[in-house]
Amino acid sequence: MNAQEIIGLEQQHVLGVYGRPPFVIERGEGATLYDSDGKAYVDTVAGIAVNALGYNDAGTKNAIAEAISSGVLHTSNLYTTAPQARLAAKLCQTSFADRVHFANSGAEANEGAFKFARRYARDTFPDQPNKFEILAFSNAFHGRTMGALAATPRDKYQAPFKPLMPGVRIAEYNNLADATAKMDDNVCAIIVEPIQGEGGIYIASNEFLQGLRTLADKHNALLIYDEIQCGVGRTGTLWAYEAYCGDDGNAVAPDILTAAKPLAGGLPMGAILMREKVAATLHKGDHGSTFAGGPLVTSVAHHVVERVSEPEFLAAVESKGALMKEMFEELNSPHIVEVRGKGLLVGVELDIETAPVIGACAEKGVLIVNAGPNVLRLVPPLIISEEEIARAVQTVGSILAEL
Ligand SMILES: Cc1ncc(COP(=O)(O)O)c(C=O)c1O
């Protein structure tokens, strides 16, 4: 089948909820993708902040091959397997967490986090039956399942699917006074992205995260960090919250952290990391999943976390991110309103819509995704080279210069 035939088949049979450009991805190497006509694209999308180790990574392929060689791709959570136990230990050793529960996606991890927060509140404060509400923030994206959607306050996503899960309050992101005003003892959890991804690459201020930690403690609520997009090395620390902790590694650590996207090198996976006080309130049968945390995905995730948590790897993410931001600034384009972000989670806000820029970039061999209508989002494989970064930025620059 040629590209046109494949696209025709897709348009006839796949649900039309995605808008796709007119080419067919066939293979990848490092941070470069190739379409079915052999055209190369520098990929700053990485499967939407997923393919941290890039395409065709030897270690990932080895981990997959080893997992497959056992013959056991799946056992369910009825039985113990070594890869799951090993990964859970690794995630705890490299974070604030005491225990981990696995899921299959980001949204599912957030659903679990909400359930765990409610369970914790029910168990710990039995005389407060109304302590089940969630405080979330403007511009947030927590996923498209019913609970996560209720905490994703955008009409475009919510309106067609109402009624939503009740009990979610929204305060303005980075506005501690508003969060304080919206908070009371009926809130069982605050959920926040330390860096908002889909919402346009907005970084939480130190005061905001510190304030939320204090606010959660004051009202006996749990603090949940959604690090589904900003976690697992993307911002130059293994977990984005670490950058807010200063010398005290735990100063603003959460009670629950959700991770997903890059965790298993492109295989579907989510994880809910939590403190013992939360874990202690969950009992056998309270929550579960058929597929989550299977031996294949956990083997690959162990490889990803090992690679990404190496200090040299993280230092390279930080310096490549700084280089990318600097190069965008140096374009001095009148169309660029602001360049922001941390590590390789970079947003370039334009004074025009991003759609035509993204289309023209693809034609010139650079893939970029948006974050809202006016923000170009660059979330490449963390192994991207400086030359590839330069190529991506120069391509954007040449297109902006023609507009
Ligand atoms: C911060 C954040 N949370 C949750 C999600 C939902 O993850 P998934 O698409 O795996 O359900 C996303 C996806 O973009 C995200 O960026």
Side-chain angles (χ1 to χ4, degrees):
M1 270 196 292
N2 65 27
Q4 280 323 307
E5 288 165 340
I6 296 168
I7 290 168
L9 202 61
E10 183 246 356
Q11 288 180 346
Q12 197 180 345
H13 296 292
V14 175
L15 186 69
V17 294
Y18 302 113
R20 292 170 173 166
F23 53 85
V24 175
I25 297 294
E26 200 166 77
R27 67 186 182 87
E29 188 67 47
T32 299
L33 280 172
Y34 297 85
D35 72 14
S36 54
D37 296 325
K39 179 175 167 183
Y41 301 83
V42 174
D43 179 19
T44 75
V45 182
I48 319 186
V50 168
N51 303 316
L53 300 180
Y55 300 99
N56 208 18
D57 171 62
T60 302
K61 291 204 301 189
N62 281 343
I64 291 173
E66 263 176 46
I68 288 175
S69 73
S70 73
V72 183
L73 289 181
H74 173 73
T75 54
S76 84
N77 280 299
L78 294 174
Y79 307 105
T80 300
T81 62
Q84 186 183 102
R86 235 169 28 127
L87 176 64
K90 182 91 190 159
L91 291 171
C92 290
Q93 284 153 13
T94 54
S95 74
F96 71 97
D98 302 303
R99 283 179 193 273
V100 182
H101 180 81
F102 293 105
N104 301 287
S105 69
E108 198 191 306
N110 283 336
E111 296 291 333
F114 292 163
K115 285 180 71 179
F116 295 175
R118 284 187 170 180
R119 182 68 160 122
Y120 168 81
R122 292 260 146 83
D123 247 50
T124 315
F125 309 102
D127 56 340
Q128 295 182 50
N130 293 326
K131 194 174 182 63
F132 59 80
E133 300 207 26
I134 306 282
L135 179 66
F137 294 95
S138 57
N139 225 17
F141 188 92
H142 297 300
R144 295 169 185 269
T145 50
M146 283 318 231
L149 185 64
T152 298
R154 249 169 298 166
D155 238 28
K156 176 170 171 273
Y157 297 139
Q158 293 184 337
F161 305 108
K162 284 182 172 173
L164 304 168
M165 178 184 86
V168 177
R169 307 166 177 198
I170 304 296
E172 193 187 347
Y173 190 72
N174 262 341
N175 182 339
L176 191 55
D178 193 36
T180 307
K182 304 268 165 65
M183 191 69 185
D184 62 32
D185 286 349
N186 287 342
V187 171
C188 70
I190 301 174
I191 182 163
V192 64
E193 294 160 84
I195 300 178
Q196 289 187 327
E198 303 291 315
I201 320 298
Y202 292 103
I203 303 177
S205 67
N206 278 319
E207 301 71 47
F208 185 57
L209 275 203
Q210 275 158 14
L212 293 185
R213 179 67 274 177
T214 306
L215 208 52
D217 291 340
K218 182 176 164 207
H219 291 281
N220 290 320
L222 299 178
L223 183 59
I224 304 171
Y225 289 160
D226 177 340
E227 293 216 9
I228 286 160
Q229 186 146 173
C230 62
V232 195
R234 176 138 308 270
T235 63
T237 47
L238 183 61
W239 305 110
Y241 79 83
E242 289 174 50
Y244 292 84
C245 287
D247 292 337
D248 174 355
N250 267 326
V252 294
D255 302 299
I256 295 178
L257 180 149
T258 52
K261 287 184 178 283
L263 192 54
L267 299 178
M269 181 178 216
I272 308 163
L273 283 62
M274 71 200 90
R275 293 182 192 268
E276 188 60 37
K277 72 172 185 181
V278 182
T281 64
L282 282 134
H283 308 293
K284 287 187 178 49
D286 276 354
H287 190 59
S289 159
T290 300
F291 287 117
L296 177 62
V297 284
T298 45
S299 296
V300 178
H302 193 270
H303 165 65
V304 171
V305 176
E306 277 218 312
R307 272 286 300 284
V308 167
S309 58
E310 285 164 11
E312 312 79 56
F313 189 99
L314 290 168
V317 172
E318 194 176 350
S319 68
K320 286 187 284 190
L323 177 74
M324 184 187 277
K325 283 205 291 187
E326 203 180 296
M327 284 178 163
F328 272 117
E329 301 277 8
E330 281 169 3
L331 289 178
N332 274 324
S333 167
H335 288 301
I336 295 182
V337 176
E338 190 181 27
V339 180
R340 51 182 182 254
K342 224 179 209 177
L344 286 168
L345 178 53
V346 172
V348 181
E349 184 173 338
L350 304 180
D351 68 348
I352 50 175
E353 297 246 317
T354 54
V357 179
I358 288 172
C361 281
E363 274 173 31
K364 292 193 173 191
V366 173
L367 299 182
I368 301 183
V369 66
N370 67 319
N374 302 101
V375 179
L376 297 172
R377 173 175 26 159
L378 291 99
V379 282
L382 303 180
I383 50 83
I384 192 170
S385 68
E386 294 189 355
E387 293 71 31
E388 287 164 322
I389 289 174
R391 164 110 197 273
V393 177
Q394 283 156 12
T395 301
V396 173
S398 69
I399 288 159
L400 291 179
E402 286 166 14
L403 293 172

